[in-house]
Amino acid sequence: MSNFSTKQHQQLSPRANVFILVNLGCEMLYVIDQRLKAQQIAKDKSVQVIHDVTSVLLDPKFIDSLLNGSKHNNAQLLTVEHCKFMLNDIATCSVMRIDEQSMGKLWNLMTMLYKWQLFVSKHQHHLLEITFRHLEAINKMYPDSKRHMLIDFTKNTLLDFWNASGEEAQLSIYNTNKAWLECFNTKISLLIRLGFQAMDGSFFKEVDQEYFGDYVQTIGDNMYVKSEEAHQQSAREPNSMDKLAAQLNISPLPAGEDLQPINARQFQEQFEQAFGNVLFDEGHSSTSTGCEFVQLQTAARTNTEAPHSRRDSILNQNLIDLYSKMA
């Protein structure tokens, strides 16, 4: 299923494919890392998961297949279904598994956070900056020399590809990334809590919060980590309940009027009406990050399972084969 009209599709650049996949993949790693920590997964297993997913996402042969395939005369822009299929396989390449419901919510987080990043960007070169910040952020997750070399190689490869594309093609790649994300309009609790997203799913162009500028200057950084401190500060503010009441359209108590018992059913109806279909945190911790509902499971390894390196090789080849058929 195509997300664009025929006329729109002709104006979009397949060279955007690698940037769509890499940036969404890095956002996926942010969420996986947060959930591994929140679910208190053993460090050695967490390291393995992050390293495995990063290695498959940034496998040089896979990146090359995306770059080379996008240069063909009959190259195609990735559809949502193809991108979802690839990233789902990449996410589950290690010892962790994600059920269908959690994968759907993970997808919403990935797409909406990336959409917001491009929304606040101002220039085509910001796409490269966002991509590099993504790569640098995942480089800091349990760093080791092998992953550092892999990420450096990816950055250099993408930089060469970007520079060789020229200004006109760069603008097309940037606009294609933005257009590809237009069909997504999910309300995300993290963005709403920060004051960046409205209750209709749209983003605010002008934001009053002082920290907004810091987020804009570092778009592509791990927003879950970045928002923890701001979220904790907000929870300590004495007027935080007033802000929630304002969002729920609850009228303030008139001066001098005694407190009255809250009608729980009425409050719940107001809450559901205002925040229906928002991806909210399931946890109640003050350090909740907005991805608590994404659950990971440990995949049991059987005696007949192929060695890890061989599984990765097979998966990479399957992804490469898939893209080669599309190009």
Side-chain angles (χ1 to χ4, degrees):
M1 181 182 71
S2 175
N3 305 302
F4 315 102
S5 67
T6 303
K7 183 177 180 181
Q8 283 179 306
H9 203 282
Q10 290 173 348
Q11 297 172 344
L12 299 176
S13 173
R15 289 173 178 250
N17 287 338
V18 68
F19 292 97
I20 292 170
L21 272 167
V22 168
N23 284 298
L24 289 179
C26 289
E27 283 293 329
M28 178 176 71
L29 274 161
Y30 290 170
V31 178
I32 292 174
D33 180 55
Q34 288 294 316
R35 295 311 301 142
L36 289 169
K37 292 174 181 175
Q39 294 178 212
Q40 299 181 336
I41 304 298
K43 185 175 180 180
D44 60 337
K45 191 165 290 184
S46 296
V47 171
Q48 181 182 346
V49 170
I50 296 299
H51 285 193
D52 288 351
V53 175
T54 304
S55 297
V56 177
L57 174 67
L58 303 181
D59 181 89
K61 292 181 179 178
F62 179 47
I63 297 297
D64 282 344
S65 73
L66 291 170
L67 297 178
N68 294 330
S70 69
K71 299 174 187 177
H72 295 168
N73 292 332
N74 59 341
Q76 301 176 34
L77 183 67
L78 284 173
T79 65
V80 169
E81 287 73 18
H82 282 131
C83 191
K84 249 180 163 179
F85 173 82
M86 289 184 178
L87 289 172
N88 181 69
D89 269 7
I90 293 171
T92 56
C93 71
S94 188
V95 295
M96 302 304 294
R97 292 295 176 264
I98 306 175
D99 62 37
E100 185 176 350
Q101 183 180 16
S102 289
M103 191 64 207
K105 293 176 178 178
L106 171 58
W107 176 256
N108 288 331
L109 284 170
M110 292 153 52
T111 52
M112 290 305 295
L113 266 293
Y114 185 39
K115 181 178 179 179
W116 177 81
Q117 291 161 9
L118 291 180
F119 174 81
V120 298
S121 66
K122 302 297 183 184
H123 192 274
Q124 63 203 57
H125 294 296
H126 288 164
L127 173 60
L128 195 64
E129 293 178 13
I130 291 170
T131 307
F132 278 23
R133 283 200 186 97
H134 271 135
L135 292 169
E136 192 54 41
I138 64 170
N139 193 28
K140 296 175 182 176
M141 296 178 186
Y142 311 110
D144 66 13
S145 57
K146 182 178 179 181
R147 289 179 70 250
H148 182 75
M149 291 176 61
L150 180 63
I151 289 168
D152 274 354
F153 178 83
T154 303
K155 289 166 71 174
N156 290 332
T157 301
L158 292 179
L159 180 61
D160 290 343
F161 176 74
W162 180 263
N163 289 335
S165 297
E167 288 286 328
E168 185 176 345
Q170 290 167 6
L171 181 59
S172 179
I173 292 170
Y174 172 66
N175 288 333
T176 299
N177 271 260
K178 297 182 77 171
W180 194 90
L181 294 160
E182 278 303 306
C183 63
F184 304 108
N185 199 43
T186 309
K187 291 174 282 187
I188 303 296
S189 65
L190 174 62
L191 294 173
I192 292 173
R193 187 172 65 223
L194 289 170
F196 302 163
Q197 188 180 29
M199 291 309 301
D200 63 358
S202 63
F203 301 131
F204 291 113
K205 292 184 178 180
E206 297 181 3
V207 179
D208 294 333
Q209 284 88 339
E210 294 181 359
Y211 54 75
F212 178 68
D214 181 46
Y215 279 89
V216 172
Q217 292 298 320
T218 58
I219 44 175
D221 277 357
N222 191 329
M223 187 177 280
Y224 307 104
V225 172
K226 200 176 187 67
S227 68
E228 277 189 33
E229 185 176 344
H231 182 49
Q232 291 172 350
Q233 176 68 25
S234 175
R236 290 193 293 266
E237 291 179 359
N239 63 341
S240 59
M241 290 305 297
D242 294 336
K243 293 180 179 179
L244 178 58
Q247 286 180 294
L248 292 173
N249 294 319
I250 298 175
S251 301
L253 193 67
E257 185 175 321
D258 293 334
L259 291 172
Q260 298 295 324
I262 294 176
N263 184 314
R265 182 179 296 275
Q266 182 182 8
F267 182 85
Q268 182 176 353
E269 289 175 356
Q270 286 177 296
F271 187 90
E272 290 176 351
Q273 182 179 5
F275 289 95
N277 299 321
V278 180
L279 294 184
F280 267 106
D281 313 333
E282 288 181 353
H284 300 285
S285 167
S286 62
T287 59
S288 60
T289 58
C291 53
E292 280 67 22
F293 44 76
V294 177
Q295 297 298 317
L296 309 178
Q297 297 94 36
T298 303
R301 176 173 295 189
T302 65
N303 293 332
T304 58
E305 187 174 359
H308 165 67
S309 59
R310 185 181 173 189
R311 294 202 323 272
D312 283 354
S313 176
I314 294 172
L315 176 60
N316 284 340
Q317 190 58 51
N318 287 341
L319 293 173
I320 294 170
D321 290 346
L322 172 68
Y323 187 77
S324 66
K325 292 174 183 177
M326 296 167 50

